[in-house]
Amino acid sequence: MAKRNRQKHGFKNPKTPEISEDGEIVRKKHKVEEHTSQRISPDPAELSNVDSDDEAVFKEPSAYDNLLVTLGSGGKYFSDAYRRRQREEEGKSDSEENEYDDSDSLGGSGWDDSERGSDDESPKIDARESIIEKFGVVVAGEEGEVAEMENDRDTSESEQEHESQVHSNGAVEASECVSSYSMHLGHQISKGEIDELSKKRWKYKWEVSAAENCKWVGTGESFIRDDNLKPGYGLKPSLYRHWLNIYETSEGSDFHTSKERLFFSLCDSYRDILNCSKRPFYHKGHGEDSSTMDAYIMHSLNHIFRTRDLVTQNDTKMAKHKETANDEILSGGGFLDHGFTRPKVLILLPLRNIAFRVVKRLIQLTPSNHKVNVEYLGRFSDDFGAGEAHDNEDDEVFQDVRGSGQKSSKPTDFRALFDGNPDDHFMVGIKFTRKSMKLYSDFYTSDMIVASPLGLITKIGEAEREKDKDVDYLSSIEILIIDHADIIAMQNWSHVNTVVEQLNCLPSKQHGMDVMRMRQWYLDGYARFYRQSIVLGYFLNPDMNALFNQHCLNYEGKVKLVCEYKGVLPKVLIQARQIYERFDADSISEADDARLEYFTKKVFPKIKDSIQGGIMLFISSYFEFVRIRNFLKSQNASFCLLGEYTKQSDISRSRVWFFEGRKKIMLYTERAHFYHRYKIRGIQNLIIYSLPERKELYPEIVNMLEGSHGMTSTVLFSRFDQLRLERIVGSTAAKRMITSEKSVFAFC
């Protein structure tokens, strides 16, 4: 419900950044050389090593060369970068420390916080004791003596680990060779692989049993392997120790067989993952939902910290071997560790209260030495924590949830989902420095972006309207996580498609990138084939399936969870006669027209001349709602409307008219019921024009027939409704109903 709960929070757009000290763009020395007056040298030392007798070699520009020329059009940026490099060589800069926190090492366009806009003008530390207790973190300046000692010890261990990596290059390289991170990003994709992936034909060759009548199926080779051979299951040691400590503190028994560890192993395979049978926290699935969330959070942290370690290690090597660093970059791929911009992880979530839950857990799972200072925690708690309804239209939705002690008539899952701040418009960047986390960081200097599809769509729209704005921070996303996809489907799934299409595109501006250290597959435009996409939800619909099949093209392959459903018919508490009528459709594109034709010719004539009122038409999508409304208008039928865009005053009037019999037919949509959970009175005959996506809504709607004379419902379906049908009547019954020669089925 995109139009509801949109409280603006004034996120500012990023300024046009200045080039970083290591962000100049140069051509490959051994391939292309231009006249000295036109060439920007990557290093003054390089000019001194070029013999005057060397002849310039000219070749036909490749796509790589053309990209460099395009990015190098801003001459002022390059001259400034050249002067800064000269000052660095003369010892006038302290950038040799190569600290990750304020540098642009990751290919982003970072700059000092003092140059930022008003977004960062609030105090550095604004968390209070209640916030510290809520998030389970210690804020700089407020921790006790024990916490300080722990932070110092953790920092010392981290520094020792870093030093051992720097001074034991052989051991580090051997360790990195077996890590999934290095194997995934270090793979050089071939033209044949690109052609095969572009066909979008996926063959799931293997399967592995999972709990509760489910199984994992995947492409390529089976992902199962002996994780005992991998220290920490592929996690960085500091992350593994911290996660294991949290798991044991929460009275976990065997971490090796835990759901958290098992799903993390799936994530660590860097394959695209589709799990749309995850029981959410608001449906008494706290354990399963939390374990899945912990796994993808740890995977994201592991990816971000490994990226930092690789860049820091290479920075250190280059600082120690300045004379030969450029030659090593040109001759091999060991120093190729950059993307176009810094953000590497994008997490799409539907509501602020869910984002609050995820970021809170992210802070808890971050090791202590990386969160000595969590900046803007108080602001985040105010913006994403518990809030009130934001407009009068929604007062009725939440008044019984946040009322004055009165017992709510809403279902428990509704209260659990919409409790807190249900706003669906947000976007926040998160930056990890050496010892701190920074919320509300500029998107170009962030490592992770947590946003709603609507929040990103707003930014994309601004970039299309205004030339000085862009969304190039989406160009280097290497992990995409869409959690609670089922709730996003109740908003506007087309926003997700638009956002995914914007990922991994070539940037429109330079943003301080260091092309000399950029991974080749970024420059070749192949980044989308390296992006890992993880889609998680409560149910699967055709839109999610299409996204996973058409826009998730990871060369590693795919894995998805397939389940058998028992159905929800036992939750219908009344003795209602449920008639299922199947109509024929030749293709999915013709299914909507075939449904409307069946309704107009087979169903509507039965109710048109009936003197009985109380007929409710339940409709899944707004598109179908509009078509039925227009048809009823053309027939001069007596009807009223209750949809997701109906005004509150009109809703109240429609409910009264329908109950009193002044209107014969009511049109009611799935989204309206999902966001309001109205109890409609006066229903005598229920016609389910299209089955609901959310299976728990079906028994709620049918149970509204209680007290009616006939207690009969009619359901229209086709073979293209199998995903919805099996969630409601069960997988076995659904297959029989789809393939049977009969077209009418009854459940009592």
Side-chain angles (χ1 to χ4, degrees), residues 133-203:
E133 181 179 356
K134 181 187 299 181
F135 285 86
V137 300
V138 178
V139 180
E142 298 182 9
E143 67 268 26
E145 182 178 354
V146 176
E148 288 184 359
M149 294 175 62
E150 291 178 352
N151 286 333
D152 291 340
R153 182 169 61 253
D154 290 340
T155 303
S156 176
E157 291 175 358
S158 176
E159 292 174 350
Q160 290 175 4
E161 178 183 352
H162 173 67
E163 288 298 324
S164 66
Q165 290 177 338
V166 173
H167 295 293
S168 304
N169 294 333
V172 170
E173 292 172 0
S175 174
E176 287 295 328
C177 286
V178 298
S179 71
S180 299
Y181 170 85
S182 335
M183 293 175 64
H184 175 65
L185 298 184
H187 174 73
Q188 294 300 320
I189 196 168
S190 66
K191 186 64 167 60
E193 290 177 284
I194 296 295
D195 294 339
E196 190 64 28
L197 290 169
S198 300
K199 295 178 182 178
K200 302 175 183 178
R201 299 174 182 172
W202 314 107
K203 296 181 180 180

Side-chain angles (χ1 to χ4, degrees), residues 54 89 99 130 139 200 216 222 324 327 618 707 733:
D54 288 348
E89 291 294 326
E99 287 194 0
S130 61
V139 180
K200 302 175 183 178
W216 289 105
S222 175
T324 60
D327 291 334
F618 181 85

Side-chain angles (χ1 to χ4, degrees), residues 243-284:
W243 195 14
L244 186 61
N245 181 61
I246 290 178
Y247 180 79
E248 293 175 348
T249 302
S250 61
E251 299 181 356
S253 56
D254 184 4
F255 183 76
H256 177 71
T257 60
S258 64
K259 292 181 178 180
E260 293 92 329
R261 206 283 304 170
L262 294 174
F263 191 74
F264 172 80
S265 295
L266 269 180
C267 296
D268 192 52
S269 71
Y270 278 94
R271 302 192 181 197
D272 291 335
I273 301 173
L274 177 65
N275 177 7
C276 285
S277 296
K278 175 175 69 78
R279 181 178 291 275
F281 67 92
Y282 54 87
H283 271 301
K284 301 179 181 179

Side-chain angles (χ1 to χ4, degrees), residues 71 238 271 398 426 531 620 622 660 675 688:
L71 295 175
S238 58
R271 302 192 181 197
F398 300 101
F426 60 90
R531 185 189 72 238
S620 177
Y622 186 75
E660 294 178 350
Y675 282 102
I688 299 181

Side-chain angles (χ1 to χ4, degrees), residues 33-47:
E33 292 185 1
E34 294 183 359
H35 292 291
T36 306
S37 60
Q38 298 176 346
R39 183 172 184 266
I40 303 298
S41 172
D43 199 311
E46 182 179 346
L47 291 176

Side-chain angles (χ1 to χ4, degrees), residues 201-251:
R201 299 174 182 172
W202 314 107
K203 296 181 180 180
Y204 294 89
K205 301 179 180 179
W206 55 266
E207 61 182 49
V208 175
S209 298
E212 298 180 1
N213 299 320
C214 296
K215 61 183 178 181
W216 289 105
V217 298
T219 63
E221 300 296 329
S222 175
F223 68 91
I224 293 182
R225 57 193 175 198
D226 189 358
D227 288 300
N228 290 320
L229 299 178
K230 297 176 62 178
Y233 304 102
L235 276 166
K236 282 176 54 64
S238 58
L239 285 173
Y240 173 66
R241 290 194 300 268
H242 183 65
W243 195 14
L244 186 61
N245 181 61
I246 290 178
Y247 180 79
E248 293 175 348
T249 302
S250 61
E251 299 181 356

